[in-house]
Amino acid sequence: MANIALIFPQKSSATINTPQIIKSAVSKDCISWRVSGMCYWLKCTPFGCVTLTSMKVTHFLPQAVVSTYVGPGGNPWQEMAFVSQTAGGLESSIVGSLTGVTAGGGNAAEAKVQGKRRSSLKFKYADAIGHPSTSIIGGSVAGYSCSSSAKPLVPYFLSTLDSFAWRTGLPESLYPEALMPGLRELGTQISANMWGNIYPRSGFVTQTDDDKASAVIAQRVADIITRTGQPHVYQSIKDLPRPGYWPPDSVTENTGKQNHKWQRLSPKLSNSCAAFPDGNHPAAVNGNQAYALWQPYSCCERMGQTLLRSVDYKAPQ
């Protein structure tokens, strides 16, 4: 019975489509383009060598659309819902054959709060798929925009293919980051805005607010895909620097908007970006949410064979 989902996909509760995502990327607040410095190049020809300069620019690029949802096929990105639906059918078949139960998500534990039932322990699936605008914005104008290491529509993480680690939290539940309070947490207890722990990077999160629970899951996914050699099934979007090209560092929580930004896509589309924690927001009625991950790149147009040095201007506050 578990294979029926592969043959007859269920209708997705999609709330956003590709054209809307592409349009949403035209955001001055998210891109934050600026002239950040100057590059000095050495260009040599048979007639001698000269020093040339080029402008260094820094701006954010949309790397991936990270979706969190409560059941296979629940990805709110309409055109990509079939990916999670198909992979989810495969996962259900494997989990069902091993455990005799159907793989699913949602709220694992509930408690009554002020007469209403609210969940504290939740499980969510998650996908990270290359943002459709990453190549449209990145590298579009030589010398004025940088290319992204991410590729449009490429699946970088599907929790249904990372089922063991995503459902058990192993081996990360044994890491110091997972065992020591205050280490690798989204927000802080001192600031009274602690949303949840980053480790173990699994689909289970303890949080009564469903919007914050989804944000923690999204942060975990970004943490995985922007690094290499992680104990998960995924593709990394991390790139290496080269002369005239400086890709972003790995996503790290509580670093403000210098390291990365999030743009909310679903259930309500935002035209601005922020870093988590970013206040209180209404959760999706169906528990399925989507965010765009933005990261900063710096680059300058190559004017010679050798980059002598680059000078950075002070970033505006």
Side-chain angles (χ1 to χ4, degrees):
M1 295 298 291
N3 292 327
I4 293 179
L6 292 172
I7 304 173
F8 302 104
Q10 299 174 4
K11 184 179 179 181
S12 169
S13 54
T15 58
I16 194 167
N17 56 42
T18 301
Q20 290 174 317
I21 294 175
I22 293 175
K23 183 179 179 181
S24 71
V26 185
S27 167
K28 181 179 178 181
D29 180 68
C30 294
I31 297 174
S32 300
W33 186 95
R34 66 182 179 89
V35 176
S36 58
M38 189 72 68
C39 292
Y40 296 86
W41 300 89
L42 180 65
K43 182 177 182 180
C44 293
T45 68
F47 304 99
C49 297
V50 295
T51 300
L52 300 175
T53 62
S54 59
M55 180 176 63
K56 184 177 183 179
V57 299
T58 297
H59 61 88
F60 282 73
L61 284 173
Q63 298 276 76
V65 174
V66 181
S67 304
T68 67
Y69 49 97
V70 298
N75 190 327
W77 183 357
Q78 184 177 4
E79 290 81 1
M80 292 295 131
F82 78 94
V83 176
S84 61
Q85 178 69 56
T86 302
L90 176 62
E91 184 204 33
S92 294
S93 179
I94 296 173
V95 174
S97 64
L98 294 176
T99 66
V101 298
T102 302
N107 304 329
E110 294 194 350
K112 286 189 176 181
V113 179
Q114 296 179 351
K116 297 181 179 180
R117 297 188 69 86
R118 298 182 63 183
S119 303
S120 58
L121 180 63
K122 304 173 187 292
F123 176 83
K124 290 182 181 288
Y125 292 89
D127 296 339
I129 298 174
H131 197 290
S133 290
T134 188
S135 295
I136 298 175
I137 299 176
S140 55
V141 183
Y144 292 89
S145 63
C146 310
S147 299
S148 171
S149 58
K151 304 300 179 186
L153 310 181
V154 172
Y156 288 98
F157 180 83
L158 300 175
S159 63
T160 46
L161 299 183
D162 186 45
S163 184
F164 177 79
W166 198 247
R167 286 184 172 275
T168 65
L170 295 174
E172 294 179 349
S173 58
L174 303 177
Y175 287 11
E177 295 93 329
L179 299 174
M180 297 178 61
L183 188 63
R184 297 305 310 273
E185 293 176 342
L186 185 57
T188 63
Q189 294 282 6
I190 296 176
S191 301
N193 64 351
M194 211 281 278
W195 284 12
N197 55 293
I198 302 299
Y199 276 75
R201 295 172 298 183
S202 71
F204 286 98
V205 60
T206 302
Q207 172 60 255
T208 56
D209 187 300
D210 197 64
D211 174 75
K212 295 175 182 178
S214 293
V216 171
I217 295 295
Q219 190 78 31
R220 291 176 180 176
V221 172
D223 198 85
I224 294 170
I225 66 173
T226 56
R227 288 170 169 79
T228 58
Q230 304 303 295
H232 292 267
V233 179
Y234 75 107
Q235 291 190 73
S236 175
I237 61 174
K238 187 174 180 62
D239 204 359
L240 297 176
R242 55 182 182 268
Y245 177 78
W246 296 270
D249 294 330
S250 301
V251 164
T252 303
E253 70 283 355
N254 305 331
T255 53
K257 295 192 291 185
Q258 300 302 312
N259 175 265
H260 68 283
K261 301 177 184 177
W262 290 102
Q263 181 184 19
R264 293 174 175 270
L265 302 177
S266 171
K268 183 178 180 180
L269 180 62
S270 173
N271 291 319
S272 62
C273 285
F276 299 145
D278 62 339
N280 296 316
H281 298 267
V285 175
N286 57 11
N288 305 334
Q289 302 193 198
Y291 315 84
L293 171 66
W294 292 72
Q295 288 187 280
Y297 285 79
S298 295
C299 63
C300 53
E301 187 174 6
R302 192 180 189 97
M303 302 296 288
Q305 294 92 346
T306 304
L307 177 66
L308 297 175
R309 63 178 300 199
S310 67
V311 177
D312 291 331
Y313 302 148
K314 185 178 180 180
Q317 299 299 319

